[in-house]
Amino acid sequence: MARIHNKAYFNQKIVPIADAHLSVASSAVLYGLSIYTVFYVLPEKGRFRAFHLQEHYSRLRSSAKIIGLTWPKKLSFTQFQDIVRGLLEVNNPEEPVFVRATVHADDLLPGTRSRGVSTQLSMFVYTASPIMKPSGVRLKTSQWRRIPDNSIPSRAKVNGAYVNSVLAHQDARDAGYDDCIFLDQSGHVCELSAANIFMVRQGRLITPDTSSDLLEGINRRVIIELAEATGIPVQERAVDLTELYIADEVFVCGTSAFVASVSEIDGRLLEKKNPITQKIATLHAKALRSGDFL
Ligand code: PMP
């Protein structure tokens, strides 16, 4: 189970988590009009290593741009980083944690608008187990399709869009699976409810390309780079569902999922040996231990 640490960042200051409240009349609450990111932090001798913080900041900014939300005043990367450091120092976690940073539309009753609506940044720290077991993950193709780029872009990490993930994830859980596989409108593979997906075919790593209605996951990018650096060829392209059924290996990745190998999709069993997945998982774990100090 997840445990939220005591202090949060809200209203431009550090406050007890119990005091970090948005109004029920804000667009964030009424329409899910917020954008967010979650990143991994590893404490080390009183300091904190954050995994690819710059990319998380940039993706958050891009999400705001796509949705048309006002970026909080003067929130440069340096300022963002200072807020993260300050929040970690007051909570002082001793074990690895996640930080969730959100930009909320906090104007009261502005109607269904984004531009010109006031926004504010919140952050909190939590400890949680990975959302996937590291091996033996069982997936079910969802009857719920991924929201297409021309409806709510998956590239933007928008809170309200996560209802799509909740529907598909809950449906998979109800059917006894660990998570769902989202397909797009044409039936190609997108991603899971909160993780990206890779397969291995004939020694090649293949993952849906970034125009496949998916979140451009930071771990997805890191894994592509790690694989290429070790000489594993990588292809980003449209992926058919049946390719996953006959793949040599399938794994998923994400900040909260880490790297997890898949053992079953829609009742079809996959190979038990996952040499490339294991190699990627080892490289990824090593990368997590060497995030930049804040
Ligand atoms: N897809 C979705 C829908 C997600 O919510 C996440 C988790 N943020 C991912 C993919 C993985 O992205 P990242 O590697 O940046 O955590």
Side-chain angles (χ1 to χ4, degrees):
M1 281 304 281
R3 180 174 71 85
I4 302 176
H5 292 241
N6 288 334
K7 303 281 185 189
Y9 180 85
F10 189 72
N11 252 339
Q12 302 185 55
K13 53 185 185 293
I14 305 246
V15 296
I17 184 79
D19 295 346
H21 288 309
L22 280 168
S23 167
V24 293
S26 65
S27 294
V29 174
L30 293 175
Y31 309 126
L33 193 56
S34 300
I35 48 158
Y36 80 100
T37 194
V38 175
F39 49 90
Y40 177 84
V41 172
L42 181 68
E44 192 179 303
K45 295 181 191 144
R47 295 174 74 195
F48 301 99
R49 289 182 184 272
F51 192 60
H52 290 265
L53 191 62
Q54 174 82 58
E55 285 91 329
H56 281 278
Y57 170 84
S58 301
R59 188 174 65 188
L60 195 63
R61 265 201 106 130
S62 300
S63 295
K65 189 171 185 179
I66 292 170
I67 302 303
L69 277 181
T70 309
W71 187 247
K73 239 188 211 142
K74 296 198 200 121
L75 186 58
S76 63
F77 175 63
T78 309
Q79 197 189 359
F80 185 81
Q81 195 177 24
D82 288 347
I83 294 168
V84 174
R85 190 188 306 108
L87 185 62
L88 287 162
E89 281 170 359
V90 292
N91 284 294
N92 200 20
E94 285 173 1
E95 69 278 276
V97 286
F98 300 99
V99 177
R100 186 168 179 126
T102 309
V103 174
H104 308 275
D106 64 348
D107 248 358
L108 308 188
L109 285 177
T112 49
R113 290 191 298 120
S114 58
R115 212 169 301 287
V117 171
S118 73
T119 56
Q120 70 154 304
L121 173 73
S122 81
M123 265 187 220
F124 64 86
V125 180
Y126 64 99
T127 308
S129 317
I131 56 170
M132 300 279 174
K133 48 192 166 190
S135 61
V137 171
R138 299 174 59 245
L139 301 178
K140 173 186 182 288
T141 302
S142 184
Q143 82 268 26
W144 301 102
R145 294 290 163 112
R146 194 67 173 139
I147 311 172
D149 195 63
N150 60 10
S151 293
I152 307 179
S154 299
R155 184 173 285 108
K157 207 162 163 52
V158 191
N159 290 36
Y162 272 78
V163 174
N164 186 219
S165 285
V166 171
L167 272 172
H169 180 225
Q170 187 61 57
D171 176 62
R173 296 289 288 260
D174 290 347
Y177 286 83
D178 297 311
D179 202 353
C180 61
I181 295 174
F182 269 125
L183 304 182
D184 66 15
Q185 300 297 321
S186 67
H188 287 115
V189 175
C190 307
E191 58 179 340
L192 275 61
S193 65
N196 293 113
I197 189 162
F198 283 82
M199 66 179 170
V200 177
R201 294 192 72 186
Q202 286 139 4
R204 187 185 292 269
L205 209 53
I206 302 165
T207 193
D209 61 83
T210 53
S211 56
S212 298
D213 289 329
L214 49 81
L215 178 74
E216 297 183 4
I218 285 152
N219 293 277
R220 175 187 177 280
R221 172 60 40 205
V222 166
I223 284 168
I224 289 171
E225 285 167 10
L226 288 171
E228 282 172 343
T230 23
I232 302 170
V234 183
Q235 217 180 348
E236 296 178 66
R237 62 160 172 81
V239 170
D240 284 334
L241 175 61
T242 49
E243 286 187 281
L244 294 179
Y245 291 170
I246 59 168
D248 302 321
E249 303 177 37
V250 176
F251 68 86
V252 302
C253 70
T255 300
S256 307
F258 297 87
V259 173
S261 65
V262 175
S263 62
E264 187 184 330
I265 300 172
D266 300 335
R268 282 128 181 119
L269 297 182
L270 300 179
E271 290 292 330
K272 287 221 168 66
K273 281 199 190 128
N274 291 296
I276 294 187
T277 303
Q278 273 168 22
K279 191 167 184 178
I280 296 289
T282 306
L283 291 170
H284 180 259
K286 191 171 167 210
L288 279 180
R289 290 192 298 271
S290 50
D292 289 338
F293 281 115
L294 287 167

